[in-house]
């Protein structure tokens, strides 16, 4: 699967939720840090509106996704995929997830303060909420259900 134009999506990330730096929770935006499956493409650095499936649990969630190096915190060159789930704040460590990138919201940038970052994140969540439609959800569910490698449980409608 290519990142650009993947089935009408901007991209898709398939991987396992791993521990991150833990900053998101303290900022009011707890994130699931996704380690992509080996050899999976990594989307270009940006902030995206998307959907996340938890195939083992049968759930689909609206998410805002950050792909990048966390420039505000000077984390170096390592690219992180951080997923803020709008309607779920469970611990997802070790879970295999599928994240569809629906639309690109903005570039990742270095903010002058943590407060500016938090304000931008809140705006990103609002943009994601306004962007996602039932059509996006239906398309993600159809793709998930058609996938030969999906888990045995069906996603909830």
């Amino acid at each position: 699967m290519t990142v650009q134009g993947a089935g009408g999506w901007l991209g898709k990330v398939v991987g396992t939720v791993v521990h991150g730096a833990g900053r998101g929770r303290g900022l009011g935006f707890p994130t699931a840090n996704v380690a992509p499956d080996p050899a999976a493409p990594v989307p270009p650095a940006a902030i995206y509106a998307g959907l996340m499936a938890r195939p083992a649990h049968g759930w689909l969630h609206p998410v805002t996704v950050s792909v990048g190096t966390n420039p505000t915190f000077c984390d170096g060159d390592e690219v992180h995929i951080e997923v803020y789930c709008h309607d779920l704040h469970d611990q997802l460590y070790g879970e295999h997830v599928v994240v569809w990138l629906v639309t690109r919201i903005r570039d990742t940038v270095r903010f002058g303060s943590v407060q500016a970052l938090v304000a931008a994140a809140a705006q990103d969540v609002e943009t994601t909420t306004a962007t996602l439609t039932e059509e996006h959800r239906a398309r993600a569910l159809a793709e998930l259900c058609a996938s030969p490698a999906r888990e045995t449980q069906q996603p909830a409608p």
Side-chain angles (χ1 to χ4, degrees):
M1 158 151 312
T2 60
V3 172
Q4 295 299 321
W9 306 107
L10 291 181
K12 180 169 81 171
V13 175
V14 179
T16 303
V17 177
V18 297
H19 289 274
R23 283 189 290 253
R25 186 165 307 283
L27 298 175
F29 295 95
T31 58
N33 293 271
V34 179
D37 288 347
V42 174
I47 307 300
Y48 299 91
L51 294 163
M52 180 181 73
R54 300 170 64 203
H57 295 279
W59 299 105
L60 188 65
H61 304 278
V63 295
T64 302
V65 183
S66 172
V67 178
T69 60
N70 297 332
T72 300
F73 298 102
C74 301
D75 280 354
D77 294 333
E78 185 179 356
V79 173
H80 304 272
I81 301 171
E82 299 184 41
V83 179
Y84 172 70
C85 187
H86 297 202
D87 62 354
L88 174 78
H89 301 293
D90 292 351
Q91 298 293 326
L92 304 176
Y93 300 120
E95 258 192 70
H96 196 257
V97 297
V98 179
V99 179
W100 290 273
L101 306 177
V102 173
T103 191
R104 186 181 173 286
I105 297 174
R106 64 174 175 84
D107 289 339
T108 55
V109 296
R110 182 175 182 175
F111 290 94
S113 69
V114 172
Q115 294 79 9
L117 170 63
V118 170
Q123 181 60 54
D124 297 338
V125 170
E126 287 181 28
T127 301
T128 296
T129 300
T131 300
L132 296 177
T133 66
E134 283 303 314
E135 180 182 327
H136 294 122
R137 181 179 168 78
R139 195 166 77 201
L141 286 171
E143 185 178 315
L144 186 64
C145 290
S147 173
R150 69 179 172 83
E151 300 288 336
T152 57
Q153 290 187 335
Q154 294 290 327

